[in-house]
Amino acid sequence: MLRVENLTKIFRSGEQEVSVFEGLNLEVAQGELLALVGRSGSGKTTLLHLLAALDTATRGEIYFGGQRLGALSFEEQADYRNRQIGFVWQMHHLLPEFSALENVMLPQLIAGSDFEKSQGCARELLAEVGLENALGRRTGELSGGEQQRVALARALVNKPALLLADEPTGNLDHRTAEQVMDLLERLHRVHGLTSVLATHNMELAQRAARTLRLEDGQLTEVVVPRFN
């Protein structure tokens, strides 16, 4: 599904250069649930942004299903983000004055779907994440866990092949984080997703088929201890 070859990302500020990682290589199989761990500032978010074509690499290539992202036009990259990628952020980035239903509908409306179809898909997904009774509530009135459920539904409304999640439980208390972890795992399985989750939560990482640590610009596979 994903292949990363010799990926390098360098940020420049004036004459200064900061290398996030150099020569990074990675393969993610279709259907895999991969956890990405590492300290803050190690480059996890940067890597997710590159995989989502939200940023461009300094050097190296990223392939999605054999297609080189660097060869896509601006419009093709936007279409890739909208149709192939579901992104969940630590800060959910919902529109607080819009209802849960309206927030989930937006990606389909942007993609050109008609209103009734978008509304139907959004209703189904909100029911799937346990929010069938909160369709008309403004997201600014919802709890943190409910907001993250809306964000998950929004991420899946265009039926993406790849789910990218950046610290999806980072702002939640332990009990709510567990509920969101259960939901992420179930959605990954039921929707046949390929998922890459960047997290500090080792209980979330242990649910992945594989865990990679990003440290000093390198990826290494790690064994995550099981929690009782």
Side-chain angles (χ1 to χ4, degrees):
M1 172 68 75
L2 275 175
R3 189 169 83 253
V4 172
E5 293 184 350
N6 298 314
L7 199 65
T8 296
K9 181 61 180 179
I10 297 171
F11 289 105
R12 292 183 172 88
S13 177
E15 296 183 358
Q16 271 195 322
E17 290 189 350
V18 177
S19 175
V20 184
F21 39 71
E22 294 190 36
L24 209 65
N25 294 289
L26 170 66
E27 288 191 0
V28 184
Q30 185 169 348
E32 185 173 12
L33 176 58
L34 175 71
L36 185 64
V37 300
R39 60 178 174 76
S40 296
S42 61
K44 302 188 303 296
T45 296
T46 298
L47 179 56
L48 291 186
H49 285 180
L50 292 171
L51 296 178
L54 290 167
D55 196 2
T56 55
T58 306
R59 291 186 295 275
E61 301 292 349
I62 299 173
Y63 296 87
F64 173 82
Q67 173 68 57
R68 184 166 64 90
L69 297 188
L72 300 179
S73 67
F74 179 82
E75 291 77 12
E76 288 169 334
Q77 286 187 3
D79 188 67
Y80 163 74
R81 288 190 294 268
N82 192 251
R83 297 181 182 276
Q84 300 291 353
I85 304 294
F87 213 118
V88 180
W89 314 82
Q90 179 175 352
M91 298 299 294
H92 47 74
H93 296 296
L94 299 171
L95 298 174
E97 297 304 313
F98 281 42
S99 69
L101 185 65
E102 290 166 338
N103 270 277
V104 177
M105 288 173 64
L106 275 175
Q108 282 225 322
L109 294 175
I110 291 169
S113 294
D114 66 68
F115 187 88
E116 286 192 9
K117 179 185 175 184
S118 300
Q119 189 178 69
C121 289
R123 285 180 179 274
E124 288 178 9
L125 277 166
L126 284 166
E128 190 173 353
V129 300
L131 291 177
E132 60 269 28
N133 295 323
L135 303 181
R137 291 178 61 192
R138 292 180 179 180
T139 54
E141 301 170 351
L142 300 177
S143 70
E146 289 170 331
Q147 289 172 340
Q148 200 63 306
R149 287 170 181 266
V150 175
L152 275 167
R154 181 186 59 184
L156 298 181
V157 73
N158 279 341
K159 297 179 173 57
L162 177 64
L163 177 68
L164 302 174
D166 190 12
E167 298 289 354
T169 62
N171 286 332
L172 305 176
D173 62 71
H174 182 75
R175 180 181 177 186
T176 306
E178 281 192 331
Q179 294 171 347
V180 170
M181 286 188 288
D182 290 341
L183 183 58
L184 272 166
E185 194 173 17
R186 178 167 61 81
L187 292 172
H188 168 82
R189 183 177 65 253
V190 170
H191 288 266
L193 297 166
T194 301
S195 302
V196 181
L197 315 178
T199 183
H200 283 99
N201 188 328
M202 299 310 288
E203 291 184 55
L204 177 56
Q206 70 158 339
R207 299 176 183 232
R210 189 162 55 113
T211 300
L212 299 178
R213 182 181 301 280
L214 183 55
E215 188 172 23
D216 297 327
Q218 298 297 318
L219 283 170
T220 54
E221 190 160 350
V222 296
V223 176
V224 179
R226 297 288 168 177
F227 295 85
N228 295 322

